[in-house]
Amino acid sequence: YENAGFHIFRNGWKEDATVMVVKAGPPAFWHNQPDNGTFELFVKGRNFFPDAGSYVYAGDEEVQKERDWFRQTRVHNTLTLDGKNIEETNSKCLLWDISNPENQILVTENQGYPNLKHRRTVFFVDNTFFVIVDDAIGAAAGDVAIHYHLSEGRMNVDKKRFRLTSKYNDGNNIVVEAFGPKSMKMEEEESWVSYAYRQKNKRTGVAYHANKQSDSTTSFITVIYPITSKAPRISAKYLNGDANASSVKVELSINNQIYNLHANWN
């Protein structure tokens, strides 16, 4: 659904399939939230990254505050500058390549702030796991953060390793691990999800923060890996030297197996 701004990765059509839905579309002036770049991810029927929802629609000042909280950019799975809502939701699809089932690729860009463009590259590797590369490009300086909001349930947050691991008893779990600049830090943040009007559930939210200098590009790599038992050893590094290049290159290691991921939209 490229014209609507929804891109769907999947490895099957049964209930146990892995499915990621990425929202990165054109402006929508009414039923739209400032959340371009966000996604939901289903693995074996579990939505590990459910959208925050609406919770409430309209009312007095206090009700409006509650509504605005659930609309915030930072409570979605995307990038913020200084924790503020993005000002523009007009994503451009630079690349949508699903011709190789072993390495499907999506690249989108959104000029979310006057001096900051968010480019998000998603690799679906081996029909199994995801690598997300986020580039914050432009003259803006400040705190750049990538936010992730998980499903309800027990999560182990390891700030030293920049890793989050779900702990569901049925063995259907994921690992989220990020790599970024030396200034990067991982923090937990308030997070709620609403599936029905006026009902909300507490959940785990984390953000990876880095200090962006003016006219420099700040980049993050996040690996999302489904697991049934022990988490793999993961490392990743960004190989791009020029943020203005029409490509993204990443070297990834999963249990010593090397993946060279490359997206080119020339």
Side-chain angles (χ1 to χ4, degrees):
Y1 307 99
E2 188 172 332
N3 291 336
F6 290 94
H7 299 81
I8 303 171
F9 298 95
R10 63 168 60 247
N11 65 3
W13 293 92
K14 296 182 179 180
E15 292 183 357
D16 63 350
T18 297
V19 182
M20 176 184 277
V21 182
V22 182
K23 178 191 175 188
F29 299 101
W30 294 105
H31 295 285
N32 187 43
Q33 296 183 349
D35 60 357
N36 264 9
T38 195
F39 64 88
E40 295 191 350
L41 172 60
F42 298 80
V43 180
K44 297 178 181 177
R46 174 171 290 132
N47 186 355
F48 281 95
F49 296 87
D51 183 78
S54 296
Y55 183 60
V56 69
Y57 289 104
D60 59 22
E61 183 177 352
E62 288 303 312
V63 170
Q64 189 63 39
K65 286 181 181 179
E66 293 178 319
R67 180 176 185 270
D68 289 345
W69 192 94
F70 279 84
R71 287 177 50 82
Q72 295 177 99
T73 304
R74 68 182 183 88
V75 304
H76 293 85
N77 303 310
T78 190
L79 178 144
T80 60
L81 174 64
D82 293 328
K84 298 177 181 178
N85 287 342
I86 58 175
E87 300 176 25
E88 182 74 25
T89 55
N90 189 15
S91 286
K92 310 297 183 186
C93 180
L94 303 180
L95 178 65
W96 174 233
D97 184 357
I98 56 175
S99 60
N100 179 1
E102 302 303 316
N103 185 21
Q104 301 174 44
I105 308 169
L106 170 67
V107 184
T108 65
E109 280 188 348
N110 186 62
Q111 188 75 43
Y113 304 92
N115 295 314
L116 188 76
K117 177 170 59 180
H118 175 207
R119 183 174 66 203
R120 169 159 277 186
T121 303
V122 182
F123 297 95
F124 186 26
V125 185
D126 287 348
N127 267 321
T128 303
F129 65 95
F130 294 88
V131 178
I132 302 175
V133 182
D134 290 293
D135 295 306
I137 305 166
D143 176 70
V144 174
I146 300 294
H147 305 265
Y148 293 108
H149 297 273
L150 283 295
S151 49
E152 308 98 310
R154 189 164 67 92
M155 305 286 168
N156 179 48
V157 178
D158 186 340
K159 296 180 182 179
K160 291 184 178 180
R161 298 179 65 186
F162 305 109
R163 172 179 279 202
L164 179 149
T165 309
S166 67
K167 294 293 185 179
Y168 290 104
N169 292 331
D170 61 5
N172 180 18
N173 288 293
I174 59 165
V175 172
V176 179
E177 188 166 349
F179 306 85
K182 291 182 179 180
S183 66
M184 188 178 79
K185 59 183 179 179
M186 181 184 188
E187 295 182 351
E188 293 188 64
E189 56 186 7
E190 182 182 4
S191 190
W192 299 86
V193 61
S194 176
Y195 302 110
Y197 192 73
R198 283 288 192 175
Q199 297 178 27
K200 62 181 181 179
N201 301 323
K202 193 172 182 60
R203 60 175 176 171
T204 298
V206 298
Y208 297 97
H209 295 264
N211 183 33
K212 182 184 180 301
Q213 302 297 320
S214 178
D215 292 322
S216 67
T217 295
T218 298
S219 300
F220 303 84
I221 301 170
T222 307
V223 179
I224 303 175
Y225 200 99
I227 58 173
T228 56
S229 56
K230 185 178 179 181
R233 299 184 306 277
I234 302 172
S235 64
K237 59 182 179 181
Y238 193 64
L239 301 181
N240 274 45
D242 182 3
N244 294 315
S246 298
S247 65
V248 169
K249 298 178 182 178
V250 171
E251 183 180 282
L252 175 72
S253 174
I254 304 287
N255 286 337
N256 296 322
Q257 181 175 347
I258 303 299
Y259 297 85
N260 288 297
L261 306 178
H262 184 200
N264 190 321
W265 52 94
N266 269 334

